[in-house]
Amino acid sequence: MDSESLIKKFDKQANKYNKRRKNDSAYKFRERIFQEAEGKVLEVAIGSGLNFPFYNKEVELTGVDFSREMLKTARDAAKEYPFEATFIQEDVEFVEFNENTFDTIVSSGTLCAYQKLGNVLNNFQKWCKPEGRILLMEHGISTNKPLAWLQKTLDPLALNFVGCHQNRNITEIVKKSRLKIIREERQLAGYLYLIWAKP
Ligand SMILES: C[S@@+](CC[C@H](N)C(=O)[O-])C[C@H]1O[C@@H](n2cnc3c(N)ncnc32)[C@H](O)[C@@H]1O
């Protein structure tokens, strides 16, 4: 799908994401992994900013998203938090940062959306400081067979409606990249992947 069509789909979902701020079903998983974010933090495809409650007041956040509407909700939400935040409207697949810029790179629910995943993950490796960390909370193919079958069957439909794939094996994708997995957990019938990685 071309990026213009994807942006339109995500623009339309900005309000829905904003409403999840108080009752997001993955709240406790976000909290567990993203409270480890430190220093200069890059959050890719930041959406409406659902991870803001978990960042400590010292972080310097850079948030990237290609959806203007998502960024608008994130910018408004950030006013209620004590950390410094800068927002950039760009495509994560093409945005550029200097090497070794960030202490932490955060991604939640974004690896379902990119066209060239390998490039994005390898860029994380470049942009992250060697001693930094990469924190991922992603959805993908489940370990539960009936659910996995449903995810594969519904994938084209989901892509068309919400702009993201349901059938990606996130662990395999990360393993094929230049990132090194330190720890991994699967939650919610194995459909939610929590991955702690290093560049
Ligand atoms: C499923 S939402 C997740 C939002 C947020 N990370 C969260 O955890 O709630 C996917 C987000 O990725 C953004 N996105 C998808 N592909 C992108 C790309 N190539 N460049 C920048 N943003 C992208 C969408 O605009 C949307 O905000």
Side-chain angles (χ1 to χ4, degrees):
M1 187 177 300
D2 64 277
S3 53
E4 279 309 305
S5 315
L6 269 177
I7 292 169
K8 277 191 196 145
K9 281 189 199 306
F10 285 114
D11 274 346
K12 283 189 197 150
Q13 296 174 71
N15 268 338
K16 183 181 85 179
Y17 272 86
N18 203 25
K19 282 184 191 149
R20 278 192 200 164
R21 195 169 303 285
K22 297 236 156 54
N23 59 358
D24 179 54
S25 57
Y27 187 96
K28 66 177 179 188
F29 303 115
R30 290 180 190 271
E31 180 174 35
R32 199 138 60 75
I33 187 162
F34 298 135
Q35 66 179 353
E36 296 186 23
E38 278 178 357
K40 281 183 186 287
V41 176
L42 171 66
E43 184 174 344
V44 291
I46 192 163
S48 61
L50 295 186
N51 298 322
F52 292 169
F54 317 117
Y55 294 147
N56 67 59
K57 63 180 190 321
E58 275 90 30
V59 309
E60 285 171 53
L61 176 69
T62 302
V64 180
D65 205 291
F66 63 12
S67 156
R68 198 165 62 102
E69 296 305 316
M70 287 282 194
L71 275 186
K72 208 156 76 182
T73 58
R75 219 178 253 117
D76 284 348
K79 291 177 190 150
E80 292 173 27
Y81 294 90
F83 50 79
E84 264 181 51
T86 309
F87 296 96
I88 303 172
Q89 190 183 349
E90 279 267 19
D91 189 323
V92 173
E93 297 195 50
F94 300 103
V95 69
E96 288 179 12
F97 294 103
N98 292 333
E99 283 186 28
N100 304 339
T101 300
F102 297 101
D103 299 289
T104 312
I105 298 185
V106 165
S107 162
S108 58
T110 87
L111 297 183
C112 52
Y114 308 123
Q115 326 262 348
K116 292 199 175 143
L117 274 167
N119 291 354
V120 172
L121 290 172
N122 290 338
N123 277 335
F124 291 179
Q125 191 251 352
K126 253 181 17 200
W127 300 333
C128 190
K129 295 178 186 170
E131 67 284 8
R133 58 189 73 180
I134 292 143
L135 306 173
L136 311 173
M137 187 196 81
E138 302 290 340
H139 68 81
I141 197 81
S142 169
T143 45
N144 174 290
K145 285 200 173 129
L147 180 56
W149 178 85
L150 204 63
Q151 288 177 296
K152 283 182 194 158
T153 310
L154 295 180
D155 190 63
L157 214 61
L159 184 63
N160 197 29
F161 277 108
V162 289
C164 60
H165 289 279
Q166 307 298 310
N167 64 353
R168 291 184 168 169
N169 186 321
I170 303 299
T171 306
E172 290 310 312
I173 289 164
V174 178
K175 278 186 179 160
K176 282 190 194 133
S177 77
R178 296 194 192 120
L179 304 185
K180 184 167 182 260
I181 296 181
I182 304 299
R183 189 169 136 217
E184 187 207 6
E185 277 181 31
R186 300 283 285 272
Q187 301 285 350
L188 306 177
Y191 134 99
L192 192 73
Y193 296 61
L194 301 183
I195 296 178
W196 288 256
K198 285 189 88 60

